[in-house]
């Protein structure tokens, strides 16, 4: 279990407005966000069933699994930058789908 010397970036992320997805690559960051009151959906869990319009933390590993999160979330916060433009596009594509007009 990691020891947090300064978790102020996670606290700032936890204060995100409603309808925000907080993307994290590290399980320990997701677990800490959960302790701060932000539900965490790690690899293998399905964030599509989370209460829509709330702020949730999601594993970056879920970005390529086809989840369609646009109906409940319209903002993205990324705690760890993606290594390539393709990964950025895939991650943000979970909430911003071209051609779809029925945003929340």
């Amino acid at each position: 279990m990691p020891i947090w010397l300064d978790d102020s970036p996670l606290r700032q992320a936890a204060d995100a407005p409603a309808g925000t997805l907080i993307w994290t690559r590290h399980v320990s960051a997701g677990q800490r966000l959960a302790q701060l009151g932000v539900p965490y959906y790690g690899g293998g869990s399905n964030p599509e069933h989370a209460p829509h319009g709330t702020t949730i933390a999601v594993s970056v590993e879920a970005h390529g699994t086809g989840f369609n999160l646009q109906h409940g979330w319209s903002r993205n916060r990324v705690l760890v930058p993606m290594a390539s433009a393709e990964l950025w596009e895939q991650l943000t594509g979970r909430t911003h789908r071209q051609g779809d007009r029925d945003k929340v």
Side-chain angles (χ1 to χ4, degrees), residues 68-83:
N68 185 358
L69 303 173
Q70 71 181 17
H71 298 294
W73 297 273
S74 58
R75 296 176 183 91
N76 290 290
R77 288 200 177 172
V78 181
L79 296 182
V80 179
M82 300 295 95

Side-chain angles (χ1 to χ4, degrees), residues 1-7 9-11 22-43 57-61 79-80:
M1 180 87 167
I3 297 173
W4 294 96
L5 300 178
D6 180 12
D7 67 354
L10 296 176
R11 289 182 182 277
I22 303 170
W23 295 96
T24 180
R25 176 167 288 165
H26 305 288
V27 173
S28 58
Q31 291 170 341
R32 180 64 182 130
L33 285 165
Q35 291 173 348
L36 294 170
V38 178
Y40 171 58
Y41 294 85
V58 182
S59 170
V60 169
E61 303 302 319
L79 296 182
V80 179

Side-chain angles (χ1 to χ4, degrees), residues 63-100:
H63 71 66
T65 59
F67 291 138
N68 185 358
L69 303 173
Q70 71 181 17
H71 298 294
W73 297 273
S74 58
R75 296 176 183 91
N76 290 290
R77 288 200 177 172
V78 181
L79 296 182
V80 179
M82 300 295 95
S84 72
E86 179 183 346
L87 292 175
W88 275 103
E89 184 178 356
Q90 199 173 47
L91 183 141
T92 57
R94 299 300 105 215
T95 56
H96 300 283
R97 303 230 182 216
Q98 282 189 318
D100 286 344

